[in-house]
Amino acid sequence: GEDVEQSLFLSVREGDSSVINCTYTDSSSTYLYWYKQEPGAGLQLLTYIFSNMDMKQDQRLTVLLNKKDKHLSLRIADTQTGDSAIYFCAESMGGGSYIPTFGRGTSLIVHP
Amino acid sequence: DAMVIQNPRYQVTQFGKPVTLSCSQTLNHNVMYWYQQKSSQAPKLLFHYYDKDFNNEADTPDNFQSRRPNTSFCFLDIRSPGLGDAAMYLCATSSTAGSTDTQYFGPGTRLTVL
């Protein structure tokens, strides 16, 4: 199976919270990332979490990490139409010398 | 602003006609990557450079080549594009000096093969 798995689609109403989930298999993963890709653009780093953390909050974004279950989630509060994009989960071993492994991406659709 | 720049943003070529995509960066990062991304898929790593050291992924076709003449520039050459090579090509950079493996991506070049 895939090393990093995500569901492919998520549809939410504007103003609601979005939760995008990701599971990974490598227990030695040290850093877990969320990237955002808008249509026709490259990937933009949203946030990352170190593996010894359970939670990280940055404005409307909350990242939760369950290391035991190898489960990562990204919660977007008060989702806006501008949040519509593909969100990629990625993991790496850190230290600056490893290449992140990406999931296939979750397409978030925000409707009025 | 420091950034990763890709030119052109859109490239149309004919079947079998060589094409070169370019990437430049002002981040002074020592690692540069080329990814191929097709619709609804994760970016697929083609190759990367650690400084001048070239690293090819095992399943990257021979049709794809790369050059890195200096720290700032990296090129992707597709010698004989096929219809299956139509995709978005993403350039990324990172630094081995950091504690994370964060990659910084360019906006991509959308390649169309006629």
Side-chain angles (χ1 to χ4, degrees), chain B residues 34-53:
Chain B
W34 278 106
Y35 286 89
Q36 179 192 65
Q37 187 184 26
K38 296 188 175 181
S39 182
S40 301
Q41 294 184 19
K44 177 181 182 297
L45 183 65
L46 295 174
F47 22 59
H48 66 283
Y49 280 90
Y50 278 117
D51 298 305
K52 293 183 179 180
D53 293 333

Side-chain angles (χ1 to χ4, degrees), chain A residues 9-81:
Chain A
F9 298 99
L10 177 65
S11 178
V12 299
R13 188 171 298 175
E14 189 174 18
D16 288 350
S17 293
S18 308
V19 179
I20 303 172
N21 294 300
C22 170
T23 58
Y24 59 98
T25 58
D26 191 345
S27 57
S28 59
S29 297
T30 306
Y31 285 92
L32 296 124
Y33 309 82
W34 284 105
Y35 284 83
K36 176 183 180 182
Q37 185 178 34
E38 296 182 359
L43 277 68
Q44 173 196 359
L45 179 69
L46 280 180
T47 187
Y48 65 87
I49 189 167
F50 188 52
S51 60
N52 68 353
M53 298 169 65
D54 298 324
M55 185 182 85
K56 181 178 181 181
Q57 188 155 359
D58 183 2
Q59 299 181 332
R60 291 190 299 122
L61 305 179
T62 303
V63 179
L64 294 178
L65 174 61
N66 181 329
K67 194 174 180 181
K68 174 177 170 290
D69 294 338
K70 301 190 189 70
H71 182 266
L72 182 75
S73 67
L74 174 69
R75 179 176 181 270
I76 306 172
D78 187 24
T79 312
Q80 303 297 308
T81 54

Side-chain angles (χ1 to χ4, degrees), chain A residues 33 35 37 40 92 94-97 103, chain B residues 9 37 42 50 99 101 103 105-106:
Chain A
Y33 309 82
Y35 284 83
Q37 185 178 34
S92 77
S97 298
Chain B
R9 294 292 312 278
Q37 187 184 26
Y50 278 117
S99 61
D101 302 309
Q103 292 179 311
F105 284 81

